[in-house]
């Protein structure tokens, strides 16, 4: 049963009860860290992937790992060098802390730092736990009117902000988004608030497209199994009324990455966010003779403040994405709901403390 497999240090699979609750000591903090009483933690596809497969690419579990990285908490203790936060502050947690001294960090591309310590990416533990220690400068104080759940959602939101920035979305952009999962939907919200005027989003699930429509997609396209690639390209152009100048693949299937390149206007940009097969077959020559720029996205870098500004100013409403709530003790049910998309699940939220009154 792949559902219950974890990979041990010597790569011998062992069975665990999925997922296990465990008592651990409350962490001690370093001088630049804060101790957080965890509040809301969203489940991401990658958390589900580690639980069910024990690895994502080269990141391989060699011992049990605490999952969770889309999170918000309340400051319970501050290290002696911490100036930006005080006990009681409600914060969103940017889950990756880079080395701060390598060339990539110094050049402002810290998301690419080879020494990154990232929650719930082996060998580092995540923050689906009651108490968790984190670098204070990677915690963002939430205004009172922003809920803890919205704080947790700043993590996927930041991916959307980074993707739109990498694509160069701006005033009047026409945008194609492939995949209407949480990442596609936050990308949609971000693109709109960055000034995109004409957005089409695709999925193979009609109910996800219905949510996208509610969130303001101008057009939706249901991808059907038997339709040809050529017809998908034609339909994107017909529905949008033009060729998209920015395309963001938030699915990562070979077929979506292909469609992304083929459908984009000559001279446009394709941004790849979704991760699928490591070496998909792509129409590179079609892209290169039309000077379509293909760019990767890895998480986010200096994007949390913008994501928070979008939410706190009311420019975007992310609350519609949260479809389910569970207590930390119901984590197994929460993961089943997220894994199988039960009850139209989009974003499943786990509460480490009883639900905040301002949710
Ligand atoms: P998700 O699985 O919930 O969403 C993917 C969506 O794509 C689903 O709604 C699915 O129905 C749809 N889809 C599948 N095949 C399709 C097709 N042929 N055409 C159109 N839509 C199709 O996942 P998510 O949480 O929204 O994340 C999306 C992707 O982004 C995942 O691959 C994830 O690993 C990746 N991701 C990448 C980064 C990064 O830093 N690059 C960060 C976060 C997530
Ligand atoms: Zn670095």
């Amino acid at each position: 049963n792949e559902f219950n497999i974890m990979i041990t240090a010597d790569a011998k699979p062992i069975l665990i009860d999925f997922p296990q609750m465990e008592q651990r000591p409350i962490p001690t903090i370093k001088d630049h860290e804060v101790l957080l009483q965890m509040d809301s933690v969203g489940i991401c596809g990658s958390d589900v992937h580690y639980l069910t497969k024990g690895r994502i690419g080269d990141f391989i579990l060699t011992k049990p790992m605490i999952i969770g990285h889309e999170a918000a908490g309340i400051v319970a203790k501050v290290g002696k060098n911490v100036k930006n936060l005080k006990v009681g502050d409600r914060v969103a947690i940017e889950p990756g802390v880079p080395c701060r001294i390598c060339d990539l960090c110094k050049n402002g591309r810290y998301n690419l730092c080879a020494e990154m310590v990232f929650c719930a990416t082996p060998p580092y533990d995540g923050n689906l736990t009651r108490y968790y220690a984190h670098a204070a400068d990677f915690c963002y104080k939430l205004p009172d009117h922003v809920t803890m759940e919205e704080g947790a959602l700043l993590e996927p939101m930041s991916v959307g902000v980074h993707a739109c920035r990498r694509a160069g979305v701006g005033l009047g952009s026409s945008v194609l988004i492939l995949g209407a999962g949480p990442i596609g939907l936050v990308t949609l919200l971000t693109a709109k608030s960055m000034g995109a005027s004409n957005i089409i989003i695709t999925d193979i699930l009609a109910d996800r497209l219905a949510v996208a429509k509610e969130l303001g997609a101008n057009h939706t396209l249901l991808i059907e199994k038997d339709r040809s690639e050529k017809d998908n390209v034609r339909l994107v152009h017909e529905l949008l009324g033009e060729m998209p100048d920015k395309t963001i693949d938030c699915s990562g299937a070979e077929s979506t990455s292909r469609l992304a390149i083929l459908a984009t206007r000559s001279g446009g940009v394709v941004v790849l966010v979704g991760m699928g097969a490591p070496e998909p077959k792509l129409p590179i020559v079609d892209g290169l003779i039309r000077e379509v720029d293909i760019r990767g996205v890895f998480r986010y870098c200096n994007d949390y403040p913008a994501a928070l500004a979008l939410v706190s100013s009311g420019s975007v409403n992310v609350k519609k994405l949260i479809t389910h709530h569970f207590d930390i003790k119901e984590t197994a049910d929460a993961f089943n709901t997220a894994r199988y998309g039960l009850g139209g699940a989009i974003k499943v939220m786990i509460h480490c403390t009883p639900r905040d009154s301002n949710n």
Side-chain angles (χ1 to χ4, degrees):
N1 180 352
E2 58 156 25
F3 207 40
N4 284 334
I5 286 175
M6 275 247 182
I7 311 297
T8 59
D10 55 1
K12 248 191 238 148
I14 50 161
L15 289 176
I16 59 158
D17 269 324
F18 159 68
Q20 287 183 334
M21 298 275 289
E22 198 178 290
Q23 287 287 354
R24 293 207 186 178
I26 293 177
T28 51
I29 52 169
K30 301 191 182 104
D31 293 346
H32 70 291
E33 289 183 333
V34 287
L35 181 69
L36 297 163
Q37 185 188 350
M38 296 304 296
D39 188 288
S40 301
V41 184
I43 298 181
C44 165
S46 67
D47 295 315
V48 176
H49 210 88
Y50 279 122
L51 267 168
T52 57
K53 303 273 190 269
R55 68 183 295 165
I56 294 180
D58 290 340
F59 292 105
I60 301 169
L61 285 173
T62 55
K63 58 179 179 19
M65 173 181 81
I66 298 174
I67 45 185
H69 63 273
E70 301 182 356
I74 299 174
V75 177
K77 214 186 239 185
V78 295
K80 71 172 197 285
N81 296 341
V82 173
K83 303 227 162 49
N84 62 325
L85 295 172
K86 57 180 192 317
V87 171
D89 282 347
R90 301 154 68 254
V91 300
I93 304 162
E94 179 170 349
V97 180
C99 81
R100 305 162 191 267
I101 55 174
C102 73
D103 284 351
L104 288 160
C105 283
K106 284 182 175 170
N107 285 329
R109 301 193 75 175
Y110 67 79
N111 57 325
L112 308 178
C113 173
E115 304 300 322
M116 177 70 86
V117 175
F118 200 94
C119 279
T121 299
Y124 306 108
D125 279 326
N127 51 23
L128 179 52
T129 163
R130 295 214 196 263
Y131 286 94
Y132 168 74
H134 201 70
D137 61 323
F138 280 81
C139 295
Y140 301 85
K141 186 170 157 43
L142 300 174
D144 290 345
H145 69 282
V146 174
T147 68
M148 298 303 272
E149 293 189 333
E150 288 174 312
L153 272 183
L154 294 190
E155 201 279 343
M157 274 288 297
S158 296
V159 176
V161 170
H162 195 60
C164 288
R165 284 175 161 172
R166 292 276 292 153
V169 172
L171 207 53
S173 294
S174 58
V175 180
L176 163 63
I177 298 170
L178 301 123
I183 295 293
L185 293 173
V186 294
T187 300
L188 161 69
L189 290 169
T190 307
K192 271 183 78 76
S193 61
M194 285 171 77
S197 52
N198 199 10
I199 305 178
I200 184 168
I201 185 162
T202 70
D203 207 291
I204 51 174
L205 303 173
D207 55 345
R208 289 209 155 171
L209 292 178
V211 176
K213 198 89 207 195
E214 263 183 74
L215 294 177
N218 303 88
H219 316 277
T220 59
L221 173 62
L222 183 66
I223 300 295
E224 286 163 8
K225 229 179 164 175
D226 300 328
R227 196 189 298 134
S228 73
E229 186 169 66
K230 221 170 150 190
D231 281 345
N232 279 331
V233 173
R234 179 179 54 78
L235 282 168
V236 166
H237 296 164
E238 273 178 20
L239 287 165
L240 197 61
E242 59 187 322
M243 294 172 85
D245 26 63
K246 317 288 182 191
T247 297
I248 306 177
D249 180 7
C250 299
S251 164
E254 182 174 285
S255 60
T256 55
S257 300
R258 289 182 60 84
L259 183 55
I261 295 170
L262 296 171
T264 301
R265 176 198 302 270
S266 295
V269 180
V270 169
V271 166
L272 302 176
V273 184
M275 296 183 203
E279 297 187 14
K281 190 166 174 245
L282 297 178
I284 291 297
V285 172
D286 176 82
L288 84 85
I289 58 169
R290 298 190 303 108
E291 293 199 355
V292 172
D293 292 351
I294 301 173
R295 299 180 189 160
V297 152
F298 193 50
R299 298 171 176 153
Y300 27 74
C301 182
N302 296 313
D303 297 303
Y304 256 70
L308 175 54
L310 285 179
V311 173
S312 68
S313 65
S315 298
V316 303
N317 181 357
V318 287
K319 287 183 180 162
K320 274 216 170 82
L321 301 184
I322 307 168
T323 51
H324 291 76
H325 306 268
F326 291 91
D327 184 82
I328 190 168
K329 289 186 187 140
E330 304 165 322
T331 294
D333 294 337
F335 268 85
N336 270 342
T337 304
R339 184 184 184 197
Y340 298 109
L342 304 178
I346 297 177
K347 186 52 72 182
V348 175
M349 215 35 94
I350 298 177
H351 294 269
C352 307
T353 46
R355 274 182 75 184
D356 191 336
S357 57
N358 75 352
N359 278 324

